[in-house]
Each structure stands twice: as C-alpha cells, then as structure tokens.
Amino acid sequence: MFKCLTFIVILLITTGLCGQNKPDYNPMFFNMANEWKDIAQDEPVFEFAVNSLDTAYSTQVNQVRLLSNHDGAPRLFYSDIETAVCADGECKLANIKVYWNLLGHYTGFGISPEMPLTKYEHDHFETEDYAKLHQLLLDDNSILKRRKMADLIDKIPVSPLDINSKDIDGISGATKKEIKESVVKGGLYSCYTLWHIVHGEVRDKMYEYFESICSENLVVYLLDTPYSDYQMYALKQLDKRGFEEHSNQIVSIFKTADASTRAYILKKISNGILSDQKISSQLYETFPKTNINTRTLLIKNLENAHSSAVEILSAYTHFMTKNHLKLYLEYLEETSASNKKEIRFNLKKAGNAKEYAYAYLIKEFLESNN
C-alpha cells in the first residue's frame, strides 16, 4: 500500500512539473495558418547567445525548440527569449515568445501578460505597438538590418521640456525621421534589439538544423503548403522523377506563384511533362495573369509544349508586348500552325482590334501567310 501511494505521489509531481514546463503556444501574432494549434511535441535542439547592446550587461543564452505535431512531424521553431534592452546604461529584461517556420523565417510572437514589452520610461507596449513590431519583424530586409544603433538616432541637445517626448528613446536623442515609420514610437531600442535577435545567426542555425532532418515526407509537406518559401525549397529538392510524380501539385503552385517561382518551374520542367495536354493547357491558360518574363518563357517553351498551347495563346495576343508577338508569330511561321482554323480566326480578330497597338503586325503576318 505504501509503495503504491509513493508511486502515485511521484507520478503526480512528475506530471505537475511537466505541465509547468510546457510552453503556452498561443501567439499574439502569427503569419502562417494555425500550425501552432497542432503542436503536440517539442524538443530542445540548440542554444544561441544574445549579446546586449550595452556591453556592461551579461550575455543571455536562449534555447530553440523544434515543435512537432501528433505524428512527430516538425512544424515550427520556437524560442522563449529573454534579453536585455538597454538605453544609456539602463537595462530592462524583455521577454518574448518567438516562432519561426522550418526554414528559419520569422512568423509570429507571443507575450506573457505579466511581462509586457516596454518603451521609453518603461511605458508598456499598446496593442497597436505589438502590431507594428510584428510588421517590423516580418521585414527581413528592414532598414535596421544595415544600420548600427548609433546611426538611428539624431545626436541633438535635449531640453528638459523634450525629455518626456515619445519620439525620444532615452536622453541620447530623437529617432531619425526615416526610421520612425518602421519602429514603435518611443520603442526604438526594443525594436532594434528584437529585430537583430530574430534575424540574427539563429536563423542560419535553424536552416542548417532543418536540412539535417529534411526527409522526402517533409519535402512533400512543404510542396503542399500555400507558402512560397516552402514551395521553392521543395521544388529545388525534386529531381526529374520528383517533378513527374508531383506534376499536378507543381501546376497548382504555378497558378498562384510569384514570378521567380514560375520562372524556376518553367526552366526545370521536363519536355515530357510539358507535352502532356492537360498540364500544358493549365500552364498556358495562366498567360494573361503572369508577368512579362513568365510570358516570354511560356512562348519560348511552345516547341516543347502540347500543340493546344499554341491555340491557347492565339486568344491572348493582346496581352503580348511587341517582342512577345514577334516571337509568337515566328513560331507560327516555322510550324505552319497558323493554318489551323481556330488560330487563324483568333489572329484575324486580334488584327482588327483598333485598341491593340501591334495589331498591324498580325495583319502583315496574315497577309504574307495566306
């Protein structure tokens, strides 16, 4: 009986300790879907050091944790960061729970109600301040990236009347005008410190760690997400066979992708995939919605595409630049595709369109190819 009670006590203590140590995954701002809601497992993966701007203050060591779902599939990186925010020798600890995606890109943060972030004179951040901080942290090419702290402040004499100004971070000076729109008013030191932590060497460590655990299943997961950075990473991991196996998903990505991702797909896609009628049609139907460079690549790939692609583009000549149209008409001439009834009908219609600046080129082409 005594042994049984002892076991129960130990079990309750252990369970209690585990509950106390488990982080509260409830971000205030989160730029992905709701991946954090599926977190069931977490494990420490590495530590990283954060040096305070004030050299007199000791360095903090923070831990990065890998968050996984019920199946043990990695979903996010997380760190409950504690760091000193110092201004003119006065330091205060800042606590923030930061989330990164699997490639080390910042995606959100949370704050403990009992430990709010502070601004000048230790005023607490307001809701709009946290929103502005989130937007700042999302910008991995912020002006803060290229500047030292001293470069962000106008070193001007401060009168006693100005000391309480919310534009001033400490007595050292006022935040420069070009910085004000990016940072929290009165919170330059906090913003600067946190941005450099979130976008510092910890990102490289996350990326290296993810590469060490990346598997075929994870590549498929990344490919199926709506996130452009995940999609591009996954596309780069696929070989020729992988492109063929996931061709439907790749076409789906192409429809909504940015210009660089579309260009990558068109340069890497094999002739075998592009010659498939269904795939070819889906790609070329996006022509009006793509940018100039993508349109160029689509026209240049006509020789590898299914024959239906030529007909599809014949209905979109008014979206073509002068160079696009010349390329397209040259292809028609070389292949005699313009003899097809539907293509010729579309070209005649476009050639008679008064609002199309290059309609005369189509008329000249049709006259010389009767």
Side-chain angles (χ1 to χ4, degrees):
M1 179 70 178
F2 177 74
K3 288 184 179 179
C4 182
L5 288 173
T6 302
F7 174 76
I8 293 173
V9 171
I10 292 174
L11 181 63
L12 288 173
I13 293 174
T14 304
T15 305
L17 289 174
C18 290
Q20 291 172 4
N21 291 332
K22 184 180 180 181
D24 179 18
Y25 304 124
N26 188 20
M28 180 182 291
F29 294 95
F30 197 72
N31 204 46
M32 298 172 73
N34 289 316
E35 283 82 355
W36 62 273
K37 289 185 177 181
D38 297 326
I39 299 307
Q41 305 175 35
D42 75 82
E43 60 176 317
V45 288
F46 62 83
E47 293 181 339
F48 70 104
V50 175
N51 296 313
S52 168
L53 294 176
D54 189 325
T55 56
Y57 203 89
S58 60
T59 297
Q60 278 82 36
V61 176
N62 294 279
Q63 191 176 74
V64 169
R65 307 182 73 86
L66 180 66
L67 308 183
S68 305
N69 63 15
H70 286 84
D71 298 323
R75 289 295 178 261
L76 296 164
F77 285 108
Y78 167 88
S79 184
D80 193 347
I81 295 173
E82 180 179 278
T83 186
V85 175
C86 304
D88 296 315
E90 183 179 356
C91 296
K92 181 164 182 168
L93 285 179
N95 296 85
I96 182 170
K97 306 171 188 296
V98 182
Y99 299 79
W100 295 263
N101 72 12
L102 294 175
L103 300 180
H105 297 154
Y106 165 81
T107 192
F109 74 84
I111 297 292
S112 297
E114 64 274 14
M115 292 184 287
L117 296 180
T118 58
K119 301 181 284 187
Y120 173 62
E121 288 194 331
H122 304 307
D123 289 341
H124 292 175
F125 271 44
E126 303 292 341
T127 301
E128 59 269 23
D129 296 327
Y130 286 118
K132 195 162 193 175
L133 175 62
H134 177 56
Q135 292 304 312
L136 172 67
L137 295 179
L138 283 172
D139 183 5
D140 61 3
N141 199 35
S142 167
I143 191 172
L144 301 185
K145 180 178 184 178
R146 303 174 294 279
R147 303 292 183 89
K148 294 181 179 179
M149 189 68 218
D151 298 332
L152 305 180
I153 299 174
D154 288 318
K155 298 295 182 179
I156 57 174
V158 180
S159 70
L161 295 177
D162 293 330
I163 288 178
N164 292 325
S165 170
K166 299 303 183 184
D167 285 341
I168 299 177
D169 287 286
I171 310 303
S172 59
T175 306
K176 287 189 175 181
K177 289 183 179 180
E178 65 267 30
I179 309 298
K180 285 182 182 179
E181 294 302 315
S182 301
V183 301
V184 173
K185 196 173 185 180
L188 173 61
Y189 284 90
S190 295
C191 288
Y192 185 87
T193 300
L194 294 175
W195 190 93
H196 279 274
I197 291 173
V198 168
H199 295 277
E201 65 177 17
V202 67
R203 288 185 53 177
D204 295 332
K205 288 186 175 182
M206 289 176 191
Y207 188 86
E208 290 172 5
Y209 183 84
F210 177 70
E211 286 211 306
S212 72
I213 63 169
C214 189
S215 63
E216 186 175 342
N217 286 339
L218 275 176
V219 169
V220 172
Y221 161 71
L222 298 182
L223 198 65
D224 287 338
T225 67
Y227 312 122
S228 58
D229 55 344
Y230 277 9
Q231 292 170 354
M232 180 59 88
Y233 181 90
L235 288 170
K236 290 181 177 179
Q237 310 311 307
L238 298 178
D239 54 17
K240 182 179 179 180
R241 180 182 175 185
F243 250 67
E244 292 174 353
E245 289 178 354
H246 302 285
S247 57
N248 289 331
Q249 182 58 33
I250 290 170
V251 170
S252 179
I253 290 172
F254 186 88
K255 291 179 180 179
T256 59
D258 56 29
S260 61
T261 303
R262 282 173 168 162
Y264 183 84
I265 290 173
L266 288 176
K267 289 175 181 178
K268 189 171 181 178
I269 197 167
S270 69
N271 296 346
I273 299 175
L274 197 57
S275 63
D276 178 86
Q277 182 174 4
K278 182 180 178 181
I279 291 175
S280 192
S281 295
Q282 290 184 78
L283 291 178
Y284 279 86
E285 285 290 357
T286 67
F287 190 85
K289 301 176 183 178
T290 60
N291 72 321
I292 290 177
N293 291 334
T294 303
R295 293 175 188 176
T296 301
L297 289 172
L298 284 169
I299 295 172
K300 287 184 174 180
N301 269 302
L302 280 173
E303 61 181 355
N304 302 317
H306 188 270
S307 57
S308 61
V310 186
E311 184 175 321
I312 290 170
L313 290 191
S314 70
Y316 296 139
T317 52
H318 55 293
F319 288 99
M320 296 180 185
T321 65
K322 188 175 183 179
N323 287 334
H324 286 156
L325 185 57
K326 284 183 175 180
L327 276 175
Y328 179 64
L329 295 178
E330 284 174 9
Y331 178 80
L332 292 181
E333 193 165 34
E334 291 172 0
T335 59
S336 300
S338 59
N339 292 329
K340 291 185 177 181
K341 183 179 178 180
E342 187 63 31
I343 293 176
R344 201 163 187 85
F345 174 81
N346 288 335
L347 290 178
K348 284 181 179 180
K349 184 178 178 180
N352 291 325
K354 295 180 180 179
E355 67 276 11
Y356 184 43
Y358 310 116
Y360 70 94
L361 291 175
I362 298 176
K363 279 189 173 183
E364 291 175 359
F365 173 81
L366 291 173
E367 289 171 0
S368 62
N369 288 273
N370 276 327

